[in-house]
Amino acid sequence: MTDDNRQMWTDLGIDLERHDALLNALGPIYQEIYLSQKNRPEGMGFFDFVVGDIHGIRVRELRQHAMNGGKVVATYCVFVPEEIAWAADAIPVGLCAGTQFSVPLAEEILPRNTCALIKSSFGFKLGRICPYVQASHLIVGETTCDGKKKMFEILAQYQPVYVMEVPSKKTRLSRELWAGEVLAFKEVIEKLTGNEVTADKLSQATGLVNERRRALQRLYNLRKASPVPISGKDALLVTQVAFYDDVTRCTQQVNTLCDELDGRVASGEGVFPADVPRILISGSPMAIPNWKLHHILESAGAAVVCEESCIGTRFFSDLVPENGGTVEEQLRNIADRYMQIHCACFTPNDERLDDIVRLAREYQVDGVVHYNLQFCHTYANEAVKVEKTLAEAGIPLLRIETDYSDEDVGQLRTRIDAFLEMIRR
Ligand code: BJ8
C-alpha cells in the first residue's frame, strides 16, 4: 500500500479507516483461497498482481483518464452495452459487489431481505469504500429486477445515475423498446463525454470488446478438456477481472494464459485428477470477491468447469456482428446481441434452460449446482423450471441458496459433500 495510493483514495473521498479494514481482510482471504492452490498456471500471475493492487493501478489509470478530460462510466449489469462507452472515449467499469463487508452498512437503509449483490453495491457507495465508484462520473443502472431498480433511485441521491429500461419479454415490441434504450444510452454518453459516437469509433470499439469475448471463449473452451487445465476459481477470477481491467490489456493476458493452457491440454496436464466430479454452476452472478461456492466445491474435491452466469458464459458467448454500417445499423446489432443474454429477469426465459443443458453436455459435467443469491426471486423461481429440465435430461442438480456471509459454510459443505458422493464416477 503506497503513500501515493493513500493520497489518491483521500482525494477520491474514500473513508480510509473502513477501506483499510476491507483491504486488510482481503489479503489473507486471497492467500487462503487462491495462492494456496497447487500447480496454478503461470499466466495467473497477472491476475494475482491485479488483485494484489486492486484499488491502486487501475484506479490510477481511471484518474489519469479523468484528468485528461475523459469520463468513467460504472455499471452493474452485462446489459449495459460497453461498446458505446468505449466508442465515446469513456472507460466503462463493472463494479464489484461481491463482499459481505459492505452489506451491514446498506442494511441501515435498504430492507434486509434484499439480495446481497444489491446491498453490497449500495454499501460501497454509502460507506465511501470503493474507489471505482468514487472515480466514476456516471453510474448506469438497469431495470432488470425490482430490488436493483428501486435501489438505483436511492443511489441517485449520492451520485449521478442513469437507468436503462431492460424489457421483461423477448417479443418484437420488447426488442423495439430495447433498441430505443440503446439509442438513448448513446445520446446520454455523447452528452456526458462531449464526444460523438461515429460509425468508425463504434466499429472499432465493437472489435475490441469482441476480441476480449473471443479470448474468454477460448479460455472456457480449454476448460472442456479432461483433466481440466485450470481451476474453476482461477477461471472465475479471470472473468471477474475482465469487468474492470483495460479491454486490450485484459484480452492479451487472457490469450497469454490460454497459450499456456493449450500446452497443458496437449500434454494432458491438469490441476485436478481426470476423475474428479466436473461441475457446471448456473445462476446468479458472482462479483469479485465472491469466491465462496467455487472454493467450497473445489476444496471438497470437485472441479468447476463452467459458469452459466453473467460472470461466465452470459458475459461473452455472443459477439456483435462486425460488418460495420451506419451508426444506426451498428446500434441495432448491439441491441440484438444484448437481447441474447438469457437473464432470469425475462419471462419466459426458456433459452436459458436450453443453454444449461447444452453447456452441461459440452463441458461433460457430472452435475449442475444452481446458485441462487438469497432474496433473488427471479433466479429462485426459475430454478423450479431448471430442476424439471435437468431431471428430464438426466443431469443431477443441487440447488443452493446463499448470501455472502460465512454463516452457512458448514451446512453448504455437508450438502456439497453429499452431492459429490452421489455423482462421483
Ligand atoms: S443480466 S443476472 S447481471 S440483472 S441477484 S441484483 S437479479 S435480485 S444480478 Fe444480473 Fe444483469 Fe441479469 Fe446478469 Fe437482482 Fe437477482 Fe440480486 Fe441480480
Side-chain angles (χ1 to χ4, degrees):
M1 212 178 293
T2 65
D3 287 348
D4 282 356
N5 277 353
R6 292 191 80 75
Q7 186 56 53
M8 174 174 71
W9 297 331
T10 304
D11 294 345
L12 285 168
I14 290 287
D15 180 327
L16 288 179
E17 205 175 315
R18 281 198 184 112
H19 187 254
D20 285 351
L22 172 67
L23 290 196
N24 290 341
L26 192 60
I29 293 171
Y30 196 73
Q31 173 69 41
E32 183 202 332
I33 296 182
Y34 275 91
L35 302 181
S36 64
Q37 294 179 97
K38 302 270 183 297
N39 193 20
R40 295 179 77 210
E42 279 180 24
M44 285 308 296
F46 168 77
F47 299 93
D48 288 339
F49 169 73
V50 168
V51 178
D53 192 25
I54 193 160
H55 287 172
I57 292 172
R58 185 63 182 143
V59 180
R60 193 167 301 287
E61 289 174 352
L62 300 181
R63 292 274 289 164
Q64 191 56 52
H65 179 67
M67 279 176 217
N68 296 338
K71 301 294 180 197
V72 177
V73 177
T75 63
Y76 289 108
C77 173
V78 294
F79 258 99
V80 179
E82 59 177 305
E83 295 85 350
I84 294 173
W86 289 114
D89 294 326
I91 298 183
V93 268
L95 293 175
C96 37
T99 172
Q100 176 66 17
F101 186 85
S102 51
V103 167
L105 276 169
E107 286 177 341
E108 289 173 15
I109 293 185
L110 300 182
R112 288 177 66 103
N113 59 351
T114 300
C115 100
L117 197 146
I118 297 174
K119 287 190 286 197
S120 181
S121 325
F122 186 67
F124 269 129
K125 179 62 212 176
L126 202 61
R128 293 180 289 113
I129 306 165
C130 175
Y132 292 95
V133 177
Q134 299 298 112
S136 63
H137 299 93
L138 181 68
I139 295 178
V140 183
E142 12 61 47
T143 59
T144 44
C145 75
D146 289 350
K148 269 211 257 185
K149 71 185 174 205
K150 299 315 281 184
M151 181 272 278
F152 290 133
E153 288 179 30
I154 307 171
L155 191 63
Q157 295 167 14
Y158 299 83
Q159 198 151 336
V161 172
Y162 175 76
V163 176
M164 296 185 77
E165 182 168 355
V166 176
S168 301
K169 294 171 81 173
K170 297 172 185 171
T171 58
R172 188 182 55 77
L173 278 178
S174 302
R175 287 173 194 278
E176 289 308 316
L177 180 145
W178 176 242
E181 283 294 309
V182 170
L183 179 62
F185 178 59
K186 181 205 80 132
E187 285 160 9
V188 165
I189 292 294
E190 286 182 329
K191 192 162 168 219
L192 175 77
T193 58
N195 297 330
E196 188 189 349
V197 172
T198 63
D200 278 353
K201 296 282 278 182
L202 197 50
S203 135
Q204 204 184 343
T206 297
L208 280 182
V209 179
N210 273 350
E211 278 308 311
R212 193 191 56 213
R213 291 184 181 123
R214 286 191 190 96
L216 289 168
Q217 287 171 5
R218 189 178 163 207
L219 172 67
Y220 272 56
N221 274 327
L222 284 157
R223 297 172 75 192
K224 292 176 183 168
S226 177
V228 65
I230 182 169
S231 69
K233 281 193 282 197
D234 277 338
L236 174 68
L237 183 71
V238 171
T239 318
Q240 289 172 331
V241 167
F243 275 83
Y244 66 92
D245 194 27
D246 175 71
V247 61
T248 306
R249 176 174 54 210
C250 184
T251 303
Q252 282 165 355
Q253 293 295 334
V254 177
N255 277 322
T256 303
L257 173 66
C258 290
D259 292 343
E260 184 184 350
L261 299 185
D262 275 339
R264 284 187 170 205
V265 171
S267 63
E269 181 186 355
V271 274
F272 306 118
D275 60 353
V276 300
R278 297 169 64 89
I279 299 293
L280 163 70
I281 293 182
S282 168
S284 311
M286 296 166 169
I288 201 169
N290 178 7
W291 305 306
K292 181 175 166 179
L293 185 58
H294 282 63
H295 185 50
I296 297 175
L297 277 160
E298 296 196 332
S299 304
V304 178
V305 294
C306 183
E307 295 82 19
E308 188 282 318
S309 160
C310 288
I311 316 277
T313 54
R314 279 182 242 136
F315 179 44
F316 55 75
S317 286
D318 299 299
L319 303 178
V320 175
E322 290 177 49
N323 47 7
T326 63
V327 171
E328 289 69 29
E329 286 163 347
Q330 293 188 57
L331 289 178
R332 189 74 212 198
N333 285 339
I334 288 172
D336 288 346
R337 181 267 170 203
Y338 279 79
M339 278 297 280
Q340 294 176 59
I341 300 167
H342 303 311
C343 173
C345 66
F346 284 108
T347 181
N349 189 36
D350 293 344
E351 294 87 346
R352 176 167 168 246
L353 306 177
D354 300 340
D355 276 353
I356 298 171
V357 173
R358 178 180 54 78
L359 291 168
R361 297 209 165 114
E362 280 179 14
Y363 287 79
Q364 299 173 64
V365 304
D366 300 294
V368 173
V369 175
H370 192 270
Y371 171 73
N372 209 116
L373 272 177
Q374 198 180 21
F375 308 123
C376 173
H377 304 308
T378 49
Y379 280 90
N381 280 283
E382 198 155 282
V384 176
K385 286 179 110 177
V386 172
E387 188 162 26
K388 182 168 179 287
T389 304
L390 290 181
E392 284 165 5
I395 300 167
L397 168 73
L398 175 67
R399 281 172 64 174
I400 297 280
E401 186 157 340
T402 185
D403 58 13
Y404 293 164
S405 75
D406 286 337
E407 283 167 18
D408 60 352
V409 166
Q411 189 204 43
L412 289 178
R413 280 206 183 106
T414 307
R415 292 186 61 210
I416 284 169
D417 282 345
F419 181 65
L420 297 181
E421 200 47 50
M422 184 185 87
I423 63 174
R424 225 175 272 274
R425 290 179 255 193

